[in-house]
Amino acid sequence: MPKLEGSVENIVFHNEENQYTVARFRLNDRGRLFRDDLTTIVGVLPGIHPGELLSLEGEWESDPRYGRQLKVTSFVQRLPASTEGMVRYLSSGFIKGIGPKKAQAIVDHFGEQTLAIIEQQPELLTQVKGISSKDCERIEKAWLEQEDVKELHLFLQSHEVSMSVATRIYKEYGRESIRVVRENPYQLADHVSGIGFRTADDIAVKLGLPQDSLARLATGLKYVLTQAANEDGHCFLLESDLIRRAAHILEVPSETLQGAMEQLHSEQDVFIEPPTSSLEPMASEKKPGTTSEEIGEDDADTLESSSALESRIYFGPFWYAENGSMRLLRILRNAPSCLPPTSQKQWEIVFERLSQQRKMELTERQREAVQVGYQQKVSILTGGPGTGKSTSLRALLMLLRTRKVDVALAAPTGRAAKRLTEATGVQAKTLHRLLEYAPHDNSYQRNEENPLPFQFVIIDEFSMVDILLFYHLLKALPRTSHLLLVGDADQLPSVGPGNVLRDLLRSQAIPAVRLTDLFRQAQQSRIVVTAHQINQGIVPTPKIEAHSDFFFMKEEDPFRAQQLVLDLVQRRLPAKYHFNPISDIQVLAPMYKGPLASNY
């Protein structure tokens, strides 16, 4: 690995957030061919300034645009020795209000002793003409901050911690950084952006902290909770499951975790629900828990479960989302409706007009879906593909439009929102756009203080909505508005934590209409028919039919299967269906590695 020594000539680019820096570097006389030769150095270089002396280690790389440059992996800073370097260093911008003129005056006055004076007797700077007591204070403060940053970098570099991590730590803790890292590096996982348990654990190992320290085990338990949410979609873990998972991940015996479990009781971002009666409604394992736990305590089936005899351990955001959703659903259901009532005779007139004027012949179940959606403050419309959910929605929207009801349509993704718009003829938005999500601070502008201006809100593809997004939706709903959730409960649950649609249906606390009849048009699609067969436990036939939209092609050799997929995408599907192979076809791969992998 190349090692260079020299001085920073100037800073070409610097990103304050991640400290990525591009600088021009002047090698010392022994390392350069020509006196004016400058080398470009790049990398995470926090706290460097023109005029500083650096010892660098890194790798040479060739950038197609900027040419040969050294990607720095580690560096050691030293203060400039020459008066010229001191002037550049002091006027580099790290001391506000000190430019080249004042820097030159200071160096002219103190000469080679300038930096020693600043470090040891900064009050003498007022002797320099043009340097005020305020300038003196600024110089002293900036000098101390630079010294702290350098000390932290040296400390962490000696323990093989990257410079980018060191910079994030200093931004959080400032002069306390070294003390915090020495005493409990696991604090970093809670407080420093971009540092998780794994990084904090690596730092602790390099510092020589014991594997069974209480700080490591307690932070590790919280890490397991977040991992269970992010990777498995669980909003909580039962105590025994948490201990089992943590013991495996932390590589410690289960019994050593008891002290850490006790400490969790005092953590503000962890909630522990004590064991309950064995006859309590239980939600599914991948669950939000909102409905089946308490909203529907009068309606939900009581299922005996040994898991009710164990504590449930929640990571904070999911506990708040579950309990908040429960509270807001109760309020929404019990609040008065803003819609005019409709008698049974009026309903008959509505459906007759839909039949005569709109040519919409609704089944009894679809009529029920329209009535329930209109009459109930919160309701669910569910059913598989081809069962008439979109037709029911169109009928409901026509009724709402004639009564001049303000309606909002939304779906979790842009593609789903586009399909909803095409199916209903009403403009739909993504849920994030509806709630006016602000990515810069991860917040929603629509909330309890600034609710949505709609009397009726319809959310399609609701199976994709996780508990956190559902909570934010409920916070943004006016109390008098109606909410209709539309989705297929047999689809895969949301990517995020929770299984909201399935749990709401299972609780039986929210009025729901399930459409089951497969319409004739849908029956012509083998994809739709096959989906229903799979839900019914019927193994679909792999027989290929000429006019079908569903094909099963068997190929056991992975390389031949790869060629088959390429041929389908590049030639056969575009030729038969006039698809654009880039924009109209999506290939789902079953694995990450190998000839049939997504990253092959």
Side-chain angles (χ1 to χ4, degrees), residues 385 518-534 538-553 577:
L518 197 58
F519 285 84
R520 186 172 62 185
Q521 186 177 356
Q523 290 174 2
Q524 296 172 1
S525 169
R526 276 286 305 281
I527 293 175
V528 172
V529 172
T530 300
H532 283 269
Q533 287 177 335
I534 290 171
I538 301 171
V539 179
T541 174
K543 182 181 177 183
I544 295 178
E545 299 172 0
H547 300 291
S548 174
D549 59 358
F550 176 83
F551 304 97
F552 182 83
M553 299 180 181
Y577 298 103

PDB file of all heavy atoms in Angstrom, residues 385 518-534 538-553 577:
ATOM      1  N   PRO A 385     -58.315 -11.940  -7.195  1.00  0.00           N
ATOM      2  CA  PRO A 385     -58.388 -11.295  -8.511  1.00  0.00           C
ATOM      3  C   PRO A 385     -59.603 -11.777  -9.285  1.00  0.00           C
ATOM      4  O   PRO A 385     -59.979 -12.945  -9.210  1.00  0.00           O
ATOM      5  CB  PRO A 385     -57.074 -11.725  -9.179  1.00  0.00           C
ATOM      6  CG  PRO A 385     -56.665 -12.984  -8.471  1.00  0.00           C
ATOM      7  CD  PRO A 385     -57.130 -12.824  -7.067  1.00  0.00           C
ATOM      8  N   LEU A 518     -66.110 -15.626  -9.200  1.00  0.00           N
ATOM      9  CA  LEU A 518     -65.179 -15.304 -10.276  1.00  0.00           C
ATOM     10  C   LEU A 518     -65.983 -14.985 -11.533  1.00  0.00           C
ATOM     11  O   LEU A 518     -66.736 -15.817 -12.037  1.00  0.00           O
ATOM     12  CB  LEU A 518     -64.248 -16.492 -10.526  1.00  0.00           C
ATOM     13  CG  LEU A 518     -62.964 -16.225 -11.312  1.00  0.00           C
ATOM     14  CD1 LEU A 518     -62.118 -15.161 -10.620  1.00  0.00           C
ATOM     15  CD2 LEU A 518     -62.160 -17.515 -11.442  1.00  0.00           C
ATOM     16  N   PHE A 519     -65.836 -13.773 -12.026  1.00  0.00           N
ATOM     17  CA  PHE A 519     -66.636 -13.353 -13.178  1.00  0.00           C
ATOM     18  C   PHE A 519     -66.142 -13.994 -14.468  1.00  0.00           C
ATOM     19  O   PHE A 519     -64.984 -14.400 -14.575  1.00  0.00           O
ATOM     20  CB  PHE A 519     -66.612 -11.823 -13.297  1.00  0.00           C
ATOM     21  CG  PHE A 519     -67.480 -11.153 -12.269  1.00  0.00           C
ATOM     22  CD1 PHE A 519     -66.997 -10.901 -10.989  1.00  0.00           C
ATOM     23  CD2 PHE A 519     -68.793 -10.813 -12.569  1.00  0.00           C
ATOM     24  CE1 PHE A 519     -67.797 -10.290 -10.041  1.00  0.00           C
ATOM     25  CE2 PHE A 519     -69.595 -10.204 -11.620  1.00  0.00           C
ATOM     26  CZ  PHE A 519     -69.101  -9.947 -10.355  1.00  0.00           C
ATOM     27  N   ARG A 520     -67.057 -14.060 -15.457  1.00  0.00           N
ATOM     28  CA  ARG A 520     -66.777 -14.772 -16.703  1.00  0.00           C
ATOM     29  C   ARG A 520     -65.537 -14.223 -17.406  1.00  0.00           C
ATOM     30  O   ARG A 520     -64.698 -14.979 -17.890  1.00  0.00           O
ATOM     31  CB  ARG A 520     -67.983 -14.684 -17.638  1.00  0.00           C
ATOM     32  CG  ARG A 520     -67.825 -15.525 -18.905  1.00  0.00           C
ATOM     33  CD  ARG A 520     -69.113 -15.551 -19.689  1.00  0.00           C
ATOM     34  NE  ARG A 520     -69.482 -14.193 -20.113  1.00  0.00           N
ATOM     35  CZ  ARG A 520     -70.624 -13.907 -20.743  1.00  0.00           C
ATOM     36  NH1 ARG A 520     -71.501 -14.860 -20.978  1.00  0.00           N
ATOM     37  NH2 ARG A 520     -70.883 -12.666 -21.105  1.00  0.00           N
ATOM     38  N   GLN A 521     -65.398 -12.897 -17.397  1.00  0.00           N
ATOM     39  CA  GLN A 521     -64.237 -12.293 -18.051  1.00  0.00           C
ATOM     40  C   GLN A 521     -62.950 -12.722 -17.359  1.00  0.00           C
ATOM     41  O   GLN A 521     -61.945 -13.023 -17.997  1.00  0.00           O
ATOM     42  CB  GLN A 521     -64.359 -10.768 -18.035  1.00  0.00           C
ATOM     43  CG  GLN A 521     -63.255 -10.066 -18.813  1.00  0.00           C
ATOM     44  CD  GLN A 521     -63.455  -8.554 -18.834  1.00  0.00           C
ATOM     45  OE1 GLN A 521     -64.462  -8.062 -18.333  1.00  0.00           O
ATOM     46  NE2 GLN A 521     -62.515  -7.833 -19.414  1.00  0.00           N
ATOM     47  N   ALA A 522     -62.997 -12.774 -16.018  1.00  0.00           N
ATOM     48  CA  ALA A 522     -61.820 -13.188 -15.260  1.00  0.00           C
ATOM     49  C   ALA A 522     -61.520 -14.665 -15.471  1.00  0.00           C
ATOM     50  O   ALA A 522     -60.361 -15.098 -15.437  1.00  0.00           O
ATOM     51  CB  ALA A 522     -62.027 -12.902 -13.776  1.00  0.00           C
ATOM     52  N   GLN A 523     -62.575 -15.468 -15.705  1.00  0.00           N
ATOM     53  CA  GLN A 523     -62.378 -16.900 -15.909  1.00  0.00           C
ATOM     54  C   GLN A 523     -61.600 -17.193 -17.189  1.00  0.00           C
ATOM     55  O   GLN A 523     -61.073 -18.284 -17.360  1.00  0.00           O
ATOM     56  CB  GLN A 523     -63.739 -17.613 -15.937  1.00  0.00           C
ATOM     57  CG  GLN A 523     -64.427 -17.640 -14.584  1.00  0.00           C
ATOM     58  CD  GLN A 523     -65.834 -18.231 -14.668  1.00  0.00           C
ATOM     59  OE1 GLN A 523     -66.274 -18.654 -15.740  1.00  0.00           O
ATOM     60  NE2 GLN A 523     -66.529 -18.247 -13.540  1.00  0.00           N
ATOM     61  N   GLN A 524     -61.552 -16.216 -18.095  1.00  0.00           N
ATOM     62  CA  GLN A 524     -60.806 -16.413 -19.333  1.00  0.00           C
ATOM     63  C   GLN A 524     -59.298 -16.263 -19.119  1.00  0.00           C
ATOM     64  O   GLN A 524     -58.508 -16.592 -19.998  1.00  0.00           O
ATOM     65  CB  GLN A 524     -61.286 -15.405 -20.380  1.00  0.00           C
ATOM     66  CG  GLN A 524     -62.735 -15.603 -20.772  1.00  0.00           C
ATOM     67  CD  GLN A 524     -63.256 -14.483 -21.662  1.00  0.00           C
ATOM     68  OE1 GLN A 524     -62.508 -13.562 -22.007  1.00  0.00           O
ATOM     69  NE2 GLN A 524     -64.519 -14.558 -22.041  1.00  0.00           N
ATOM     70  N   SER A 525     -58.909 -15.782 -17.965  1.00  0.00           N
ATOM     71  CA  SER A 525     -57.487 -15.630 -17.644  1.00  0.00           C
ATOM     72  C   SER A 525     -57.016 -16.811 -16.807  1.00  0.00           C
ATOM     73  O   SER A 525     -57.485 -17.033 -15.682  1.00  0.00           O
ATOM     74  CB  SER A 525     -57.249 -14.323 -16.873  1.00  0.00           C
ATOM     75  OG  SER A 525     -55.939 -14.302 -16.346  1.00  0.00           O
ATOM     76  N   ARG A 526     -56.071 -17.565 -17.345  1.00  0.00           N
ATOM     77  CA  ARG A 526     -55.523 -18.698 -16.588  1.00  0.00           C
ATOM     78  C   ARG A 526     -54.740 -18.215 -15.367  1.00  0.00           C
ATOM     79  O   ARG A 526     -54.638 -18.934 -14.377  1.00  0.00           O
ATOM     80  CB  ARG A 526     -54.606 -19.523 -17.491  1.00  0.00           C
ATOM     81  CG  ARG A 526     -55.312 -20.555 -18.360  1.00  0.00           C
ATOM     82  CD  ARG A 526     -55.783 -21.786 -17.560  1.00  0.00           C
ATOM     83  NE  ARG A 526     -54.712 -22.402 -16.826  1.00  0.00           N
ATOM     84  CZ  ARG A 526     -53.789 -23.227 -17.342  1.00  0.00           C
ATOM     85  NH1 ARG A 526     -53.802 -23.496 -18.631  1.00  0.00           N
ATOM     86  NH2 ARG A 526     -52.852 -23.756 -16.581  1.00  0.00           N
ATOM     87  N   ILE A 527     -54.194 -16.997 -15.437  1.00  0.00           N
ATOM     88  CA  ILE A 527     -53.473 -16.465 -14.282  1.00  0.00           C
ATOM     89  C   ILE A 527     -54.432 -16.312 -13.103  1.00  0.00           C
ATOM     90  O   ILE A 527     -54.145 -16.746 -11.979  1.00  0.00           O
ATOM     91  CB  ILE A 527     -52.822 -15.103 -14.621  1.00  0.00           C
ATOM     92  CG1 ILE A 527     -51.715 -15.297 -15.661  1.00  0.00           C
ATOM     93  CG2 ILE A 527     -52.248 -14.448 -13.367  1.00  0.00           C
ATOM     94  CD1 ILE A 527     -51.094 -13.994 -16.136  1.00  0.00           C
ATOM     95  N   VAL A 528     -55.604 -15.711 -13.354  1.00  0.00           N
ATOM     96  CA  VAL A 528     -56.588 -15.496 -12.295  1.00  0.00           C
ATOM     97  C   VAL A 528     -57.127 -16.827 -11.786  1.00  0.00           C
ATOM     98  O   VAL A 528     -57.211 -17.062 -10.568  1.00  0.00           O
ATOM     99  CB  VAL A 528     -57.740 -14.608 -12.816  1.00  0.00           C
ATOM    100  CG1 VAL A 528     -58.869 -14.530 -11.797  1.00  0.00           C
ATOM    101  CG2 VAL A 528     -57.218 -13.216 -13.144  1.00  0.00           C
ATOM    102  N   VAL A 529     -57.472 -17.717 -12.713  1.00  0.00           N
ATOM    103  CA  VAL A 529     -58.005 -19.028 -12.318  1.00  0.00           C
ATOM    104  C   VAL A 529     -56.978 -19.804 -11.503  1.00  0.00           C
ATOM    105  O   VAL A 529     -57.303 -20.422 -10.469  1.00  0.00           O
ATOM    106  CB  VAL A 529     -58.428 -19.831 -13.566  1.00  0.00           C
ATOM    107  CG1 VAL A 529     -58.791 -21.258 -13.184  1.00  0.00           C
ATOM    108  CG2 VAL A 529     -59.606 -19.145 -14.259  1.00  0.00           C
ATOM    109  N   THR A 530     -55.735 -19.768 -11.925  1.00  0.00           N
ATOM    110  CA  THR A 530     -54.673 -20.489 -11.215  1.00  0.00           C
ATOM    111  C   THR A 530     -54.479 -19.924  -9.812  1.00  0.00           C
ATOM    112  O   THR A 530     -54.277 -20.677  -8.851  1.00  0.00           O
ATOM    113  CB  THR A 530     -53.348 -20.399 -12.002  1.00  0.00           C
ATOM    114  OG1 THR A 530     -53.545 -20.982 -13.297  1.00  0.00           O
ATOM    115  CG2 THR A 530     -52.239 -21.139 -11.273  1.00  0.00           C
ATOM    116  N   ALA A 531     -54.548 -18.607  -9.669  1.00  0.00           N
ATOM    117  CA  ALA A 531     -54.410 -17.993  -8.346  1.00  0.00           C
ATOM    118  C   ALA A 531     -55.489 -18.505  -7.400  1.00  0.00           C
ATOM    119  O   ALA A 531     -55.215 -18.837  -6.240  1.00  0.00           O
ATOM    120  CB  ALA A 531     -54.476 -16.472  -8.463  1.00  0.00           C
ATOM    121  N   HIS A 532     -56.723 -18.613  -7.874  1.00  0.00           N
ATOM    122  CA  HIS A 532     -57.812 -19.116  -7.039  1.00  0.00           C
ATOM    123  C   HIS A 532     -57.630 -20.597  -6.735  1.00  0.00           C
ATOM    124  O   HIS A 532     -57.934 -21.046  -5.623  1.00  0.00           O
ATOM    125  CB  HIS A 532     -59.154 -18.863  -7.725  1.00  0.00           C
ATOM    126  CG  HIS A 532     -59.615 -17.439  -7.637  1.00  0.00           C
ATOM    127  ND1 HIS A 532     -60.414 -16.979  -6.619  1.00  0.00           N
ATOM    128  CD2 HIS A 532     -59.362 -16.360  -8.430  1.00  0.00           C
ATOM    129  CE1 HIS A 532     -60.644 -15.677  -6.793  1.00  0.00           C
ATOM    130  NE2 HIS A 532     -60.021 -15.287  -7.889  1.00  0.00           N
ATOM    131  N   GLN A 533     -57.143 -21.362  -7.690  1.00  0.00           N
ATOM    132  CA  GLN A 533     -56.901 -22.784  -7.449  1.00  0.00           C
ATOM    133  C   GLN A 533     -55.862 -22.983  -6.346  1.00  0.00           C
ATOM    134  O   GLN A 533     -56.033 -23.831  -5.464  1.00  0.00           O
ATOM    135  CB  GLN A 533     -56.432 -23.458  -8.741  1.00  0.00           C
ATOM    136  CG  GLN A 533     -57.524 -23.637  -9.777  1.00  0.00           C
ATOM    137  CD  GLN A 533     -56.988 -24.245 -11.068  1.00  0.00           C
ATOM    138  OE1 GLN A 533     -55.807 -24.121 -11.388  1.00  0.00           O
ATOM    139  NE2 GLN A 533     -57.868 -24.887 -11.828  1.00  0.00           N
ATOM    140  N   ILE A 534     -54.805 -22.175  -6.387  1.00  0.00           N
ATOM    141  CA  ILE A 534     -53.756 -22.303  -5.374  1.00  0.00           C
ATOM    142  C   ILE A 534     -54.313 -21.975  -3.990  1.00  0.00           C
ATOM    143  O   ILE A 534     -54.023 -22.664  -3.005  1.00  0.00           O
ATOM    144  CB  ILE A 534     -52.568 -21.379  -5.727  1.00  0.00           C
ATOM    145  CG1 ILE A 534     -51.857 -21.921  -6.972  1.00  0.00           C
ATOM    146  CG2 ILE A 534     -51.586 -21.272  -4.563  1.00  0.00           C
ATOM    147  CD1 ILE A 534     -50.809 -20.983  -7.534  1.00  0.00           C
ATOM    148  N   ILE A 538     -55.596 -26.444  -4.706  1.00  0.00           N
ATOM    149  CA  ILE A 538     -55.595 -27.255  -5.924  1.00  0.00           C
ATOM    150  C   ILE A 538     -54.302 -27.007  -6.692  1.00  0.00           C
ATOM    151  O   ILE A 538     -53.944 -25.853  -6.958  1.00  0.00           O
ATOM    152  CB  ILE A 538     -56.808 -26.902  -6.820  1.00  0.00           C
ATOM    153  CG1 ILE A 538     -58.112 -27.138  -6.064  1.00  0.00           C
ATOM    154  CG2 ILE A 538     -56.767 -27.689  -8.124  1.00  0.00           C
ATOM    155  CD1 ILE A 538     -59.341 -26.609  -6.794  1.00  0.00           C
ATOM    156  N   VAL A 539     -53.597 -28.062  -7.037  1.00  0.00           N
ATOM    157  CA  VAL A 539     -52.365 -27.926  -7.807  1.00  0.00           C
ATOM    158  C   VAL A 539     -52.725 -27.625  -9.258  1.00  0.00           C
ATOM    159  O   VAL A 539     -53.430 -28.410  -9.901  1.00  0.00           O
ATOM    160  CB  VAL A 539     -51.511 -29.209  -7.738  1.00  0.00           C
ATOM    161  CG1 VAL A 539     -50.245 -29.054  -8.580  1.00  0.00           C
ATOM    162  CG2 VAL A 539     -51.153 -29.528  -6.294  1.00  0.00           C
ATOM    163  N   PRO A 540     -52.293 -26.490  -9.793  1.00  0.00           N
ATOM    164  CA  PRO A 540     -52.677 -26.131 -11.174  1.00  0.00           C
ATOM    165  C   PRO A 540     -52.025 -27.051 -12.194  1.00  0.00           C
ATOM    166  O   PRO A 540     -50.917 -27.552 -11.985  1.00  0.00           O
ATOM    167  CB  PRO A 540     -52.173 -24.688 -11.320  1.00  0.00           C
ATOM    168  CG  PRO A 540     -51.079 -24.563 -10.317  1.00  0.00           C
ATOM    169  CD  PRO A 540     -51.459 -25.449  -9.163  1.00  0.00           C
ATOM    170  N   THR A 541     -52.703 -27.270 -13.308  1.00  0.00           N
ATOM    171  CA  THR A 541     -52.139 -28.112 -14.365  1.00  0.00           C
ATOM    172  C   THR A 541     -51.070 -27.346 -15.142  1.00  0.00           C
ATOM    173  O   THR A 541     -51.254 -26.169 -15.472  1.00  0.00           O
ATOM    174  CB  THR A 541     -53.248 -28.576 -15.325  1.00  0.00           C
ATOM    175  OG1 THR A 541     -52.638 -29.267 -16.418  1.00  0.00           O
ATOM    176  CG2 THR A 541     -54.033 -27.390 -15.881  1.00  0.00           C
ATOM    177  N   PRO A 542     -49.950 -27.999 -15.430  1.00  0.00           N
ATOM    178  CA  PRO A 542     -48.884 -27.318 -16.176  1.00  0.00           C
ATOM    179  C   PRO A 542     -49.086 -27.356 -17.691  1.00  0.00           C
ATOM    180  O   PRO A 542     -48.239 -26.885 -18.439  1.00  0.00           O
ATOM    181  CB  PRO A 542     -47.635 -28.114 -15.775  1.00  0.00           C
ATOM    182  CG  PRO A 542     -48.142 -29.493 -15.518  1.00  0.00           C
ATOM    183  CD  PRO A 542     -49.532 -29.321 -14.951  1.00  0.00           C
ATOM    184  N   LYS A 543     -50.206 -27.899 -18.142  1.00  0.00           N
ATOM    185  CA  LYS A 543     -50.442 -28.033 -19.577  1.00  0.00           C
ATOM    186  C   LYS A 543     -50.478 -26.663 -20.256  1.00  0.00           C
ATOM    187  O   LYS A 543     -51.122 -25.731 -19.787  1.00  0.00           O
ATOM    188  CB  LYS A 543     -51.765 -28.754 -19.816  1.00  0.00           C
ATOM    189  CG  LYS A 543     -52.085 -28.988 -21.291  1.00  0.00           C
ATOM    190  CD  LYS A 543     -53.432 -29.685 -21.447  1.00  0.00           C
ATOM    191  CE  LYS A 543     -53.792 -29.859 -22.909  1.00  0.00           C
ATOM    192  NZ  LYS A 543     -55.134 -30.483 -23.070  1.00  0.00           N
ATOM    193  N   ILE A 544     -49.740 -26.527 -21.357  1.00  0.00           N
ATOM    194  CA  ILE A 544     -49.676 -25.260 -22.094  1.00  0.00           C
ATOM    195  C   ILE A 544     -50.768 -25.229 -23.153  1.00  0.00           C
ATOM    196  O   ILE A 544     -50.902 -26.149 -23.960  1.00  0.00           O
ATOM    197  CB  ILE A 544     -48.285 -25.076 -22.746  1.00  0.00           C
ATOM    198  CG1 ILE A 544     -47.214 -24.954 -21.665  1.00  0.00           C
ATOM    199  CG2 ILE A 544     -48.273 -23.850 -23.653  1.00  0.00           C
ATOM    200  CD1 ILE A 544     -45.808 -24.821 -22.209  1.00  0.00           C
ATOM    201  N   GLU A 545     -51.569 -24.150 -23.104  1.00  0.00           N
ATOM    202  CA  GLU A 545     -52.630 -23.953 -24.090  1.00  0.00           C
ATOM    203  C   GLU A 545     -52.279 -22.756 -24.961  1.00  0.00           C
ATOM    204  O   GLU A 545     -51.771 -21.741 -24.475  1.00  0.00           O
ATOM    205  CB  GLU A 545     -53.969 -23.729 -23.383  1.00  0.00           C
ATOM    206  CG  GLU A 545     -54.372 -24.923 -22.512  1.00  0.00           C
ATOM    207  CD  GLU A 545     -55.586 -24.614 -21.658  1.00  0.00           C
ATOM    208  OE1 GLU A 545     -56.095 -23.463 -21.760  1.00  0.00           O
ATOM    209  OE2 GLU A 545     -56.011 -25.492 -20.888  1.00  0.00           O
ATOM    210  N   ALA A 546     -52.595 -22.850 -26.235  1.00  0.00           N
ATOM    211  CA  ALA A 546     -52.148 -21.852 -27.216  1.00  0.00           C
ATOM    212  C   ALA A 546     -52.611 -20.446 -26.870  1.00  0.00           C
ATOM    213  O   ALA A 546     -51.858 -19.478 -27.014  1.00  0.00           O
ATOM    214  CB  ALA A 546     -52.643 -22.243 -28.609  1.00  0.00           C
ATOM    215  N   HIS A 547     -53.852 -20.276 -26.413  1.00  0.00           N
ATOM    216  CA  HIS A 547     -54.404 -18.944 -26.189  1.00  0.00           C
ATOM    217  C   HIS A 547     -54.399 -18.558 -24.706  1.00  0.00           C
ATOM    218  O   HIS A 547     -55.090 -17.613 -24.313  1.00  0.00           O
ATOM    219  CB  HIS A 547     -55.829 -18.867 -26.750  1.00  0.00           C
ATOM    220  CG  HIS A 547     -55.893 -19.147 -28.224  1.00  0.00           C
ATOM    221  ND1 HIS A 547     -55.375 -18.280 -29.171  1.00  0.00           N
ATOM    222  CD2 HIS A 547     -56.377 -20.218 -28.912  1.00  0.00           C
ATOM    223  CE1 HIS A 547     -55.559 -18.790 -30.379  1.00  0.00           C
ATOM    224  NE2 HIS A 547     -56.166 -19.961 -30.257  1.00  0.00           N
ATOM    225  N   SER A 548     -53.639 -19.268 -23.916  1.00  0.00           N
ATOM    226  CA  SER A 548     -53.595 -18.993 -22.475  1.00  0.00           C
ATOM    227  C   SER A 548     -52.637 -17.829 -22.172  1.00  0.00           C
ATOM    228  O   SER A 548     -51.764 -17.492 -22.967  1.00  0.00           O
ATOM    229  CB  SER A 548     -53.137 -20.241 -21.722  1.00  0.00           C
ATOM    230  OG  SER A 548     -52.967 -19.955 -20.343  1.00  0.00           O
ATOM    231  N   ASP A 549     -52.850 -17.202 -21.003  1.00  0.00           N
ATOM    232  CA  ASP A 549     -51.910 -16.186 -20.541  1.00  0.00           C
ATOM    233  C   ASP A 549     -51.045 -16.713 -19.393  1.00  0.00           C
ATOM    234  O   ASP A 549     -50.372 -15.954 -18.704  1.00  0.00           O
ATOM    235  CB  ASP A 549     -52.656 -14.918 -20.097  1.00  0.00           C
ATOM    236  CG  ASP A 549     -53.657 -15.199 -18.979  1.00  0.00           C
ATOM    237  OD1 ASP A 549     -53.798 -16.371 -18.574  1.00  0.00           O
ATOM    238  OD2 ASP A 549     -54.305 -14.239 -18.510  1.00  0.00           O
ATOM    239  N   PHE A 550     -51.089 -18.048 -19.180  1.00  0.00           N
ATOM    240  CA  PHE A 550     -50.319 -18.668 -18.105  1.00  0.00           C
ATOM    241  C   PHE A 550     -49.596 -19.892 -18.676  1.00  0.00           C
ATOM    242  O   PHE A 550     -50.222 -20.766 -19.265  1.00  0.00           O
ATOM    243  CB  PHE A 550     -51.261 -19.093 -16.966  1.00  0.00           C
ATOM    244  CG  PHE A 550     -50.575 -19.823 -15.848  1.00  0.00           C
ATOM    245  CD1 PHE A 550     -49.932 -19.124 -14.834  1.00  0.00           C
ATOM    246  CD2 PHE A 550     -50.569 -21.213 -15.798  1.00  0.00           C
ATOM    247  CE1 PHE A 550     -49.299 -19.799 -13.799  1.00  0.00           C
ATOM    248  CE2 PHE A 550     -49.931 -21.891 -14.775  1.00  0.00           C
ATOM    249  CZ  PHE A 550     -49.301 -21.179 -13.777  1.00  0.00           C
ATOM    250  N   PHE A 551     -48.271 -19.899 -18.507  1.00  0.00           N
ATOM    251  CA  PHE A 551     -47.492 -21.021 -19.050  1.00  0.00           C
ATOM    252  C   PHE A 551     -46.538 -21.526 -17.970  1.00  0.00           C
ATOM    253  O   PHE A 551     -45.992 -20.740 -17.187  1.00  0.00           O
ATOM    254  CB  PHE A 551     -46.659 -20.578 -20.263  1.00  0.00           C
ATOM    255  CG  PHE A 551     -47.476 -19.958 -21.362  1.00  0.00           C
ATOM    256  CD1 PHE A 551     -47.590 -18.582 -21.458  1.00  0.00           C
ATOM    257  CD2 PHE A 551     -48.141 -20.748 -22.279  1.00  0.00           C
ATOM    258  CE1 PHE A 551     -48.342 -17.997 -22.457  1.00  0.00           C
ATOM    259  CE2 PHE A 551     -48.892 -20.170 -23.290  1.00  0.00           C
ATOM    260  CZ  PHE A 551     -49.002 -18.800 -23.380  1.00  0.00           C
ATOM    261  N   PHE A 552     -46.356 -22.826 -17.951  1.00  0.00           N
ATOM    262  CA  PHE A 552     -45.363 -23.422 -17.062  1.00  0.00           C
ATOM    263  C   PHE A 552     -44.364 -24.174 -17.934  1.00  0.00           C
ATOM    264  O   PHE A 552     -44.717 -25.117 -18.635  1.00  0.00           O
ATOM    265  CB  PHE A 552     -46.022 -24.385 -16.065  1.00  0.00           C
ATOM    266  CG  PHE A 552     -45.050 -24.986 -15.103  1.00  0.00           C
ATOM    267  CD1 PHE A 552     -44.660 -24.304 -13.954  1.00  0.00           C
ATOM    268  CD2 PHE A 552     -44.494 -26.242 -15.339  1.00  0.00           C
ATOM    269  CE1 PHE A 552     -43.755 -24.856 -13.068  1.00  0.00           C
ATOM    270  CE2 PHE A 552     -43.580 -26.794 -14.465  1.00  0.00           C
ATOM    271  CZ  PHE A 552     -43.213 -26.098 -13.319  1.00  0.00           C
ATOM    272  N   MET A 553     -43.112 -23.728 -17.889  1.00  0.00           N
ATOM    273  CA  MET A 553     -42.066 -24.345 -18.707  1.00  0.00           C
ATOM    274  C   MET A 553     -41.026 -24.976 -17.797  1.00  0.00           C
ATOM    275  O   MET A 553     -40.402 -24.279 -16.988  1.00  0.00           O
ATOM    276  CB  MET A 553     -41.412 -23.296 -19.616  1.00  0.00           C
ATOM    277  CG  MET A 553     -42.388 -22.658 -20.579  1.00  0.00           C
ATOM    278  SD  MET A 553     -41.620 -21.429 -21.644  1.00  0.00           S
ATOM    279  CE  MET A 553     -43.028 -20.887 -22.602  1.00  0.00           C
ATOM    280  N   TYR A 577     -46.907 -10.829 -27.729  1.00  0.00           N
ATOM    281  CA  TYR A 577     -47.780  -9.873 -27.038  1.00  0.00           C
ATOM    282  C   TYR A 577     -47.417  -8.406 -27.329  1.00  0.00           C
ATOM    283  O   TYR A 577     -48.016  -7.509 -26.750  1.00  0.00           O
ATOM    284  CB  TYR A 577     -47.707 -10.107 -25.517  1.00  0.00           C
ATOM    285  CG  TYR A 577     -48.180 -11.475 -25.110  1.00  0.00           C
ATOM    286  CD1 TYR A 577     -47.275 -12.477 -24.773  1.00  0.00           C
ATOM    287  CD2 TYR A 577     -49.541 -11.768 -25.054  1.00  0.00           C
ATOM    288  CE1 TYR A 577     -47.700 -13.747 -24.379  1.00  0.00           C
ATOM    289  CE2 TYR A 577     -49.987 -13.033 -24.673  1.00  0.00           C
ATOM    290  CZ  TYR A 577     -49.064 -14.017 -24.338  1.00  0.00           C
ATOM    291  OH  TYR A 577     -49.492 -15.259 -23.960  1.00  0.00           O
TER     292      TYR A 577
END
